[in-house]
Amino acid sequence: MIAAILSLSLLGLILGFGLGFAAKKFAVETDARVAELEALMPGTNCGQCGFPGCSGAAAALADGKASPTVCPPGGKALIQALAAKLGVSVDLSGVADEGPKIAAIEEEICIGCCRCLKDCPTDAIVGAAKQIHAVMREACTGCEACVDRCPTGAITMDPVPITLQHWVWPKPLSEGAKAWA
């Protein structure tokens, strides 16, 4: 019994040192800007930008191969944050920011084909084959990957409903704005 414990402890010690050495020897240096840009991204890896996930988009932004408008689900706030981080100016006149949206499935039209399930990067859609599907609002990021895959058009993007959990008191108007209202 003691021999088994000692041999497993020695084996664990040797393998631990081996893994530590391999981690130092084969470490890959990454660009710190890529990590910072990736932290700003939504992290849904929806692919709407044309890159393989948010890390690919962040690498393209750091290399100058993409503009700050690369992420459609991020909206104007993300574009401004990316432009500020990169130190570039960006024209936001062509960007339509309708606020956050989530997918909604019309149950009367859903045929249960499961195409939307396969394309959802966050597994926000639940259901089974030949069953009506539903969207878990907490998991949906509004990437719109499921909308084009639905053959019946049962999936629409609706504004996030205002609930007590995320309702924000509107800012009061200034005296000058009240005169124009």
Side-chain angles (χ1 to χ4, degrees):
M1 180 74 157
I2 293 177
I5 292 173
L6 288 176
S7 64
L8 283 177
S9 298
L10 182 65
L11 182 64
L13 188 66
I14 291 171
L15 290 176
F17 279 120
L19 286 173
F21 174 75
K24 296 267 185 191
K25 177 79 174 165
F26 301 113
V28 178
E29 292 187 25
T30 59
D31 189 4
R33 289 190 330 155
V34 173
E36 291 173 0
L37 292 171
E38 188 176 357
L40 292 174
M41 301 285 225
T44 58
N45 298 319
C46 63
Q48 287 187 31
C49 57
F51 295 99
C54 293
S55 60
L61 280 167
D63 292 340
K65 296 178 182 174
S67 71
T69 60
V70 71
C71 183
K76 287 185 179 180
L78 178 64
I79 293 171
Q80 291 171 340
L82 291 174
K85 182 64 79 174
L86 294 171
V88 297
S89 62
V90 64
D91 181 26
L92 296 175
S93 63
V95 178
D97 192 8
E98 301 158 350
K101 292 191 172 195
I102 57 172
I105 298 177
E106 294 182 37
E107 296 176 357
E108 299 84 24
I109 305 174
C110 181
I111 59 173
C113 65
C114 293
R115 292 181 186 173
C116 57
L117 292 173
K118 297 172 186 169
D119 282 352
C120 183
T122 59
D123 293 333
I125 301 174
V126 294
K130 299 183 182 175
Q131 302 274 331
I132 295 174
H133 297 103
V135 177
M136 293 186 296
R137 293 181 180 202
E138 296 81 22
C140 182
T141 58
C143 71
E144 299 183 15
C146 57
V147 174
D148 294 332
R149 289 292 293 161
C150 184
T152 61
I155 302 175
T156 58
M157 297 304 292
D158 296 340
V160 176
I162 296 175
T163 63
L164 290 176
Q165 285 77 19
H166 64 274
W167 181 75
V168 178
W169 193 279
K171 293 182 180 178
L173 295 174
S174 65
E175 292 299 323
K178 286 181 185 177
W180 288 99

